[in-house]
Structure formats: C-alpha cells, structure tokens
Amino acid sequence: MAVINTQLKDNIGTITFNDPEHRNILSSTMIDEMLQSIGALQKGKMRVLVIRAPAGSKVWSAGHDVHELPLPGRDPLSYHDPLVTVLRSIQSLPIPVIAMIEGSVWGGACDLALSCDILIGCPTTSFCMTPAKIGVPYNVSGILHFMNIMGVNFAKEMFFTAEPLSAEQANRAGLLNHIVEAAELEAFTYSMAQQITRNSPLSIGVIKEQIRLLASAHPLSPLTFERVQGLRRTVYDSKDYAEGIKAFLEKRAPVFTGE
Ligand code: YZS
C-alpha cells in the first residue's frame, strides 16, 4: 500500500504522508515514493509543492526509520542515505515547497520540514531533534541547516536537550513562518500557494537557488572537513550509538556511558 498520496491541482502539487500506523516515518519506501512523486509532479508543471500529513494528525512524521539506521561502523546519515537524498532534492527543487504541519515532528523529519521553504503550523505543531537521544552524530549539512535557520543558540538547545519545541517557541526561533488554527491550516496554506502560482516561476526559481547557494557558502577547509568527519566517526563507532538504537527498539530508556 502506498505510504504517500499525491495530488496535482491548479499547478499546486501535494504530497500527503499516509503511514499512520508507523507515524509517517521517513522509511526508504516513503522516501522512494516521495522522490518518484516529485519527479512526476515536476513533469506536470507544478509551481508549488505542499508536503503535509492528513488533517488531525497527532504526528506529522516520526523521522528516520530507526530500524534502517546502520549498526556501528557505518555513517548513519551519509551523502547517499535516502533521507539525506530527499532533503537535497527538496532544497534544490526550483519551486517553493511549503511544509503544512499539524502534530509533532521528530528527528530527520525536522530536517525535512526545514528543507522546505515555508513552514506553516498550528497550535499542535512541535519539533523535536533527537540525535542525542539515540546517540547519532548528525551530519554537517544538517547542522548547518539548523544553524542558518534558527541561529546557534536555539539549535544547540534543540540538539542538546532533545526536547520538543512548541509551536510558539518554533515561531520565535524562526522555524515556523505562521501559526494558524488547525481548522484554518489548509485554507491558509493553499491560499498562499495559489498566490505564489500567480508570480513568475522563473524569478522565484532563481531567487530560491540564489538563497540556497548563499546560505550554504561556508568555506570549510579540507582539514576542518576531515576533522569533523573524524569526530562524527567516533560517535557512530561508539557503544553509545549501538545502545541508543537498541534501547529504542526495545522501547526502553538508553543508558549512555560516553564510550
Ligand atoms: O511497535 P510498533 O511496531 O507498533 O511500532 C510503533 C513504533 O515503533 C513505530 N515508530 C517508529 N519506528 C521506526 N522509527 C521511528 N522513528 C519510529 N517512530 C515510531 O511506530 C509505531 C507507533 O509508535 P508509538 O510509539 O506506539 O506511537 P505513539 O505512542 O503515538 O508515539 C508517537 C511518537 C512519535 C511520539 C513515538 O513513536 C516516538 O517517540 N517515536 C520516535 C521518534 C524519534 O525519536 N524519531 C527520531 C528518529 N531519528 C532520526 O530521525 C534521526 C536519525 S536523528 O535521531 O539523528 O534525528
């Protein structure tokens, strides 16, 4: 059964998560379907893409499928990881992508939401960044993404505490563009999407790419990059990383020893 639904109407594409049983986890199946849908919608000349969960969802997406995290010794968020691939695809899509968010957003799903260009939430929207809860060394482009959007201090608090950020806090931190009542969320989102479809797609596409290139223009010397990758390896090679995954799958609290 498909884990997403896809729709194209009036040049507005919509991808709706459809795996409520697993809280819309970003499994490789979900991501494959998203990438195929994005390709098909682009052929259909969409000018805006809305990514959403069904109305009334308590969980927008529970993030990376923990069952698919590699065991120690392999980078859990490498360049070709399906989640990292779909984030790049959304960030480089030459059209605006709106995350319409009802419910809680976890881990890699926060990065997915932040990869969108406009985030519209409601009072039940929350964001929880979980690498430290599982013992995952987040990747360089992901961390840079959070730093660019919410600033260093909010990003540190989110990563260090692994506690949910409420809609208000997310709005204050610059994650959410708007908070509207849940009953208004769909109308508000699609009204903005329709407004965007009336503007120049070429101008919008180039402005989006300019912002992406300028925001990611952080000179990183080869030595610094190698040092960062080496630091990350000490985490994904660690006993704590294995314990974090094991604890999650055994539905218990992890016991981290710092080894
Ligand atoms: O036990 P069954 O088979 O019924 O499945 C359960 C959960 O195991 C499953 N599930 C997941 N499976 C794999 N990966 C996940 N991330 C995941 N989340 C949930 O879905 C079924 C229903 O889950 P319940 O816990 O029973 O549902 P509920 O009580 O409504 O709680 C919903 C939440 C979302 C609060 C709860 O499922 C939860 O806390 N899930 C984990 C959220 C999380 O920590 N995600 C981050 C995963 N890590 C990443 O994205 C990155 C690698 S990182 O960590 O670096 O950011």
Side-chain angles (χ1 to χ4, degrees), residues 45-116:
K45 304 277 180 245
M46 72 173 160
R47 289 192 176 182
V48 184
L49 173 62
V50 174
I51 298 178
R52 59 171 296 178
S57 294
K58 287 200 175 13
V59 180
W60 191 71
S61 170
H64 203 298
D65 182 344
V66 173
H67 300 94
E68 294 182 355
L69 286 175
L71 292 177
R74 263 196 55 220
D75 187 340
L77 290 168
S78 65
Y79 184 83
H80 294 296
D81 177 274
L83 172 65
V84 181
T85 303
V86 77
L87 300 186
R88 280 198 305 275
S89 160
I90 289 169
Q91 291 165 25
S92 55
L93 207 52
I95 60 166
V97 182
I98 302 176
M100 181 178 133
I101 306 172
E102 189 173 1
S104 55
V105 186
W106 301 82
C110 293
D111 213 341
L112 175 71
L114 266 63
S115 293
C116 298

Side-chain angles (χ1 to χ4, degrees), residues 18 33 52 94 114 162 212:
N18 181 36
E33 289 187 19
R52 59 171 296 178
L114 266 63
R212 186 181 74 84

Side-chain angles (χ1 to χ4, degrees), residues 30-47:
M30 164 89 72
I31 286 160
D32 285 348
E33 289 187 19
M34 286 182 77
L35 290 169
Q36 282 172 39
S37 278
I38 289 170
L41 289 166
Q42 276 187 286
K43 289 198 181 86
K45 304 277 180 245
M46 72 173 160
R47 289 192 176 182

Side-chain angles (χ1 to χ4, degrees), residues 21-23 25 59 62-67 69 77 83 104 106-109 129-131 133-134 136 138 248 251:
E21 191 194 338
H22 300 104
R23 305 302 182 266
I25 49 175
V59 180
H64 203 298
D65 182 344
V66 173
H67 300 94
L69 286 175
L77 290 168
L83 172 65
S104 55
W106 301 82
M129 223 20 220
T130 52
K133 210 164 102 178
I134 301 179
V136 172
Y138 215 64
F248 178 89
K251 298 185 187 289

Side-chain angles (χ1 to χ4, degrees), residues 18-19 134 159 203 223 259:
N18 181 36
D19 185 12
I134 301 179
F159 276 94
S203 168
L223 184 64
E259 291 167 342

Side-chain angles (χ1 to χ4, degrees), residues 171-187:
N171 192 233
R172 244 195 338 270
L175 261 66
L176 280 175
N177 294 64
H178 300 277
I179 303 176
V180 300
E181 286 308 316
E184 300 307 312
L185 188 55
E186 188 162 330

